[in-house]
Amino acid sequence: MAAPPPPPPAPAQSSAPAPTGPSARNHGYSRKQKSLGLLCSNFLGLYNRDGVTSIGLDDAASRLGVERRRIYDIVNVLESVGVLARKAKNQYSWKGFKAIPNALQELREEGLRENICNFDGNEDPKASLGLQISDDEDDVERCGSQQTENSSPNLNIKPMNPKSDNRREKSLALLTQNFVKLFVCSTVEMISLDEAAKLLLGDAHNASVMRTKVRRIYDIANVLSSMNLIEKTHTSDTRKPAFKWLGLRGKEEVPQETKKRAFGTDITNVSSKRGKVDSSIGGKLDGQKQKGLVGEADRSNLEDSKDGSKSYQFGPFAPVTIARAGTGSTRKVHDWEKLTSTYRPQYQNQALKDLFSHYTEAWKTWYSEVAGKNPIRIS
DNA sequence: ACCTCCCGCCATCGC
DNA sequence: GCGATGGCGGGAGGT
């Protein structure tokens, strides 16, 4: 792989238990520091900048201090929404957030074509959602097995043979796309976890299958929420976990970071083993209040952005402040059609770049401090 | 006790 | 045969 930057005592991919140096401190280990969402935020912070066109998985893994397996996870969902495109083995090309609108548009069209949509939040979704969500096991009857295959340019994973199609069918990427279609193709703004699970799996006749899929949904949701495409919440009534679509608009309300898990508010996934904390790195991070690199930069930029009197709309990273636009209580924010056409153009504006450069600057600063004085090098 | 979801084993794929 | 991918679910942290 590339010259491994000295920083993170490289958590061995999956080798020996890497005896965490001097007895791990007290700032005990916390899963939050290793969430997929956080990892994704860091990943984006690392690569979302000018000049980055190609991303090497090994490079990403070592920079982020995680094993490849985790990189595959985020890369798969990022690819599903167009941010990345597989180029070759170990190589992905960075498309950036500006590619999201198109990707979503395509997913939408695809979904409409497949007749996935139009279910109303309240009704029994399964009925209307014609998702090609065959449940495994007896799924052999994959519908069309290719629907996803022939459209989206970068949403796709190569054309596979019918056999591997089976695998593809259960892939995180497909699940992600279908999950997104749920929102993009309908007018619902919020979908509860189990609703989503059912929609994406058909009625889980099998509890274990369901549990597994739910795990996947959590995975997906974590990265999507780190991009602010969705927000984790819970149904007002039942309090059941749910996901709110933020899509290309902003949020209208600050997602209280105080919530259980505030993705993108902490930095790094440095240590590796569960139950361990890299004393050196972890400690420093701790001390430096690695907080908010992403989340905050994000938010603060919102400020900067408002200055950006330039009429530009924020995308996934929409500043909370700005997003307040339609404070209407009952906004069924889903004029997708309008949104896409409206946002697409603006997406490629300078302001967005500024926002991210600021954002990455913060990361860089932290990185060089914590990780050792070495500047970041993008492959 | 239930919810979340990290972790890494191991089946597959592609060469 | 081998490295790259990534499905999958055990089980531990979080609430």
Side-chain angles (χ1 to χ4, degrees):
Chain A
M1 50 162 81
Q13 303 268 42
S14 61
S15 46
T20 311
S23 59
R25 294 289 184 51
N26 289 349
H27 21 290
Y29 151 94
S30 168
R31 307 175 92 198
K32 295 178 186 172
Q33 304 178 334
K34 301 182 168 189
S35 74
L36 258 196
L38 210 204
L39 176 61
C40 181
S41 293
N42 294 340
F43 182 95
L44 296 176
L46 231 196
Y47 298 106
N48 184 49
R49 62 180 62 203
D50 291 328
V52 176
T53 55
S54 168
I55 296 175
L57 298 187
D58 286 316
D59 180 62
S62 59
R63 283 177 192 289
L64 296 169
V66 297
E67 47 190 297
R68 291 170 67 95
R69 182 68 196 75
R70 301 283 74 79
I71 299 297
Y72 290 133
D73 285 337
I74 63 179
V75 145
N76 280 333
V77 350
L78 289 181
E79 181 179 29
S80 293
V81 293
V83 175
L84 295 176
R86 187 188 166 87
K87 201 162 57 176
K89 184 172 73 174
N90 255 309
Q91 287 294 308
Y92 276 79
S93 52
W94 172 260
K95 299 299 181 185
F97 296 97
K98 64 181 187 304
I100 293 178
N102 276 319
L104 295 184
Q105 175 71 303
E106 282 181 38
L107 283 176
R108 177 168 193 271
E109 287 166 7
E110 201 173 279
L112 291 175
R113 223 178 299 134
E114 295 161 2
N115 184 37
I116 289 185
C117 343
N118 300 329
F119 65 89
D120 219 314
N122 314 329
E123 343 197 332
D124 173 26
K126 301 168 267 193
S128 38
L129 268 209
L131 280 178
Q132 16 110 147
I133 41 164
S134 51
D135 204 337
D136 54 64
E137 298 143 80
D138 36 82
D139 57 13
V140 203
E141 37 88 352
R142 144 154 355 325
C143 40
S145 73
Q146 59 319 6
Q147 71 278 60
T148 352
E149 265 36 311
N150 44 15
S151 36
S152 18
N154 39 16
L155 292 179
N156 280 333
I157 327 282
K158 59 220 151 186
M160 314 170 129
N161 59 39
K163 183 194 175 183
S164 49
D165 204 50
N166 198 331
R167 221 178 177 228
R168 154 76 172 143
E169 177 191 342
K170 302 178 183 177
S171 73
L172 235 206
L174 220 206
L175 228 200
T176 298
Q177 298 189 337
N178 286 336
F179 180 71
V180 170
K181 286 176 185 175
L182 250 33
F183 294 101
V184 143
C185 292
S186 73
T187 54
V188 290
E189 187 189 337
M190 189 190 296
I191 295 181
S192 69
L193 174 62
D194 32 277
E195 209 169 48
K198 284 179 187 138
L199 289 171
L200 298 174
L201 317 175
D203 274 308
H205 0 315
N206 179 331
S208 113
V209 173
M210 176 64 114
R211 250 180 296 128
T212 293
K213 291 300 184 177
V214 166
R215 290 192 187 98
R216 278 337 104 200
I217 291 178
Y218 276 122
D219 291 342
I220 293 169
N222 284 337
V223 349
L224 290 182
S225 66
S226 81
M227 289 191 284
N228 279 344
L229 277 179
I230 67 170
E231 178 183 42
K232 294 166 78 176
T233 28
H234 33 254
T235 56
S236 46
D237 47 322
T238 10
R239 299 276 85 191
K240 288 194 296 185
F243 307 107
K244 182 158 83 178
W245 179 252
L246 299 181
L248 301 180
R249 46 175 259 273
K251 339 177 177 185
E252 12 194 72
E253 220 168 46
V254 185
Q256 46 329 37
E257 308 249 335
T258 51
K259 254 194 302 197
K260 38 184 323 177
R261 303 205 186 193
F263 297 104
T265 51
D266 274 319
I267 206 71
T268 169
N269 295 21
V270 271
S271 60
S272 66
K273 304 299 183 187
R274 179 187 301 203
K276 291 186 180 165
V277 176
D278 181 303
S279 52
S280 57
I281 300 268
K284 288 179 189 161
L285 289 180
D286 220 18
Q288 310 218 344
K289 228 41 270 163
Q290 12 141 355
K291 277 201 75 85
L293 274 184
V294 172
E296 236 158 67
D298 192 20
R299 207 159 303 112
S300 60
N301 273 312
L302 305 185
E303 298 305 321
D304 309 8
S305 49
K306 65 172 177 253
D307 75 47
S309 35
K310 345 177 161 204
S311 61
Y312 84 82
Q313 322 280 353
F314 279 91
F317 296 87
V320 194
T321 48
I322 290 190
R324 272 176 209 297
T327 36
S329 39
T330 34
R331 31 11 90 119
K332 260 284 189 184
V333 240
H334 221 92
D335 301 341
W336 223 89
E337 325 239 75
K338 191 165 71 181
L339 284 176
T340 42
S341 55
T342 305
Y343 286 131
R344 189 166 349 193
Q346 289 90 331
Y347 243 92
Q348 353 217 47
N349 64 48
Q350 180 60 41
L352 196 53
K353 286 182 179 175
D354 294 339
L355 187 159
F356 283 112
S357 66
H358 170 97
Y359 167 126
T360 50
E361 241 352 273
W363 192 90
K364 217 187 301 184
T365 302
W366 166 81
Y367 190 89
S368 54
E369 279 182 24
V370 175
K373 319 286 184 181
N374 55 334
I376 297 176
R377 296 186 300 284
I378 300 300
S379 52

